[in-house]
């Protein structure tokens, strides 16, 4: 299923795209929005596979949306009334560029290009995942041979002082630009490290990656629930709530069972 977001400041244009997509069984419209700022937020939240994206919108336009996205960018089909942006669209690796009013044949061709692009991307992702599993297996065997132990403490600097925090006291970890925020024992600390590096050093039986930006201590999880929008979230003993992304959902729920 191709999870799709529609972004256009004209309600009639959004309705037209939605109606066109209804006849395609492999397309699921997961949301729509009418301006660039909301588009960035919804893409980060919903993690769609495909975005139909208008170019000229309030606040900022489609190209600005692309430039503000962090991480993997979904497949993008620009939909606009202006032909002069076509070259710029393909410079940002858009799958296609549709002019309003949309031609039926052009729309069908755009969807075929989307399917082809996602098939290539998903195939590469599967290969990358297999390679990563093999690397992790080899690393785990090497670590066992070296009597590897996971981190029990993390060194933190604050001003001109430094001290250790116990990993057992950590509630959650989140990315903050080039740093990590660590919540532990009622306080937050900042360390300079990457999420991938820290994740590899934490005990996977105790800590779980629930989002590309978040790791939680499973022993500090109060419950896993659905929020009012239908997303899985973890509610922590410290009172905070963190969304489980689609990418990590099965892994987290499997650990919780």
């Amino acid at each position: 299923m191709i999870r799709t977001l529609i972004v256009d400041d004209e309600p009639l244009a959004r309705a037209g795209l939605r109606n066109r997509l209804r006849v395609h069984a492999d397309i699921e419209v997961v949301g729509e929005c009418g301006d660039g700022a909301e588009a960035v937020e919804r893409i980060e939240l919903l993690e769609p596979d495909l975005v139909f994206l208008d170019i000229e919108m309030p606040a900022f336009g489609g190209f600005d949306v692309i430039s503000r996205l962090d991480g993997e960018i979904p497949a993008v089909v620009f939909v606009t009334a202006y032909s002069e942006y076509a070259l710029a669209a393909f410079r940002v690796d858009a799958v296609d560029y549709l002019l309003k009013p949309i031609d039926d044949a052009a729309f069908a061709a755009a969807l075929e290009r989307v399917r082809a692009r996602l098939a290539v991307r998903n195939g590469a992702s599967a290969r990358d995942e297999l390679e990563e599993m093999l690397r992790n297996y080899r690393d785990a065997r090497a670590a066992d041979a070296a009597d590897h132990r996971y981190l029990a403490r993390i060194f933190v600097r604050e001003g001109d002082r430094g001290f250790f925090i116990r990993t057992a006291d950590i509630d959650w970890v989140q990315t903050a630009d080039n740093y990590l925020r660590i919540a532990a024992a009622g306080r937050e600390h900042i360390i300079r490290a990457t999420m991938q590096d820290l994740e590899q050093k934490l005990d996977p039986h105790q800590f779980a990656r629930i989002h590309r930006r978040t790791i939680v201590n499973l022993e500090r999880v109060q419950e896993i629930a659905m929020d009012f929008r239908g997303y899985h979230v973890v509610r922590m003993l410290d009172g905070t709530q963190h969304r489980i992304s689609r990418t990590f959902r099965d892994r987290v729920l499997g650990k919780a069972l």
Side-chain angles (χ1 to χ4, degrees), residues 29-253:
V29 176
V30 295
E32 59 180 69
C33 49
D35 63 68
E38 185 183 4
V40 173
E41 180 181 336
R42 298 299 294 277
I43 291 171
E44 293 283 351
L45 180 67
L46 297 173
E47 298 179 332
D49 304 304
L50 167 64
V51 177
F52 283 93
L53 184 59
D54 192 11
I55 289 180
E56 294 196 353
M57 296 181 292
F60 50 81
F63 293 117
D64 297 305
V65 170
I66 298 298
S67 68
R68 284 166 166 78
L69 292 178
D70 181 24
E72 185 177 9
I73 297 175
V76 173
V77 174
F78 283 109
V79 183
T80 180
Y82 306 96
S83 60
E84 60 265 31
Y85 297 113
L87 182 58
F90 291 108
R91 282 176 177 163
V92 296
D93 200 29
V95 177
D96 214 329
Y97 186 94
L98 297 176
L99 285 173
K100 301 175 182 176
I102 298 173
D103 175 77
D104 289 342
F107 187 81
L111 284 183
E112 286 306 308
R113 292 189 184 97
V114 167
R115 293 181 179 106
R117 171 76 65 87
L118 292 178
V120 171
R121 179 182 294 182
N122 292 338
S125 296
R127 289 193 298 273
D128 290 344
E129 183 176 351
L130 177 58
E131 290 174 0
E132 183 179 0
M133 288 174 61
L134 291 172
R135 284 196 300 271
N136 289 341
Y137 174 75
R138 288 193 293 266
D139 291 345
R141 291 292 300 271
D144 288 341
D147 191 24
H148 172 78
R149 297 183 185 277
Y150 293 107
L151 283 180
R153 300 188 302 169
I154 295 176
F155 184 72
V156 175
R157 291 184 182 276
E158 289 187 0
D160 59 355
R161 60 189 288 262
F163 54 91
F164 287 95
I165 57 174
R166 297 194 316 147
T167 54
D169 293 332
I170 293 176
D171 291 292
W172 48 265
V173 181
Q174 286 189 331
T175 56
D177 295 326
N178 295 323
Y179 298 85
L180 297 179
R181 292 169 54 209
I182 299 179
R187 295 182 58 192
E188 289 191 19
H189 311 277
I190 301 292
I191 65 170
R192 190 174 185 86
T194 67
M195 184 68 83
Q196 182 178 2
D197 182 55
L198 182 61
E199 181 184 16
Q200 292 174 350
K201 294 176 181 177
L202 294 173
D203 186 347
H205 298 291
Q206 183 176 2
F207 292 91
R209 185 91 170 261
I210 65 168
H211 192 279
R212 59 191 174 86
R213 295 180 173 178
T214 310
I215 291 174
V216 298
N217 184 344
L218 294 172
E219 295 180 0
R220 300 286 296 165
V221 172
Q222 184 178 45
E223 64 176 347
I224 297 176
M226 300 279 283
D227 67 9
F228 68 96
R229 294 164 298 186
Y231 300 114
H232 283 92
V233 296
V234 293
R235 294 180 178 139
M236 309 298 294
L237 292 175
D238 70 350
T240 58
Q241 180 171 293
H242 306 277
R243 187 172 71 88
I244 305 174
S245 74
R246 182 167 54 96
T247 304
F248 295 96
R249 182 179 59 203
D250 294 340
R251 186 189 307 178
V252 176
L253 295 181

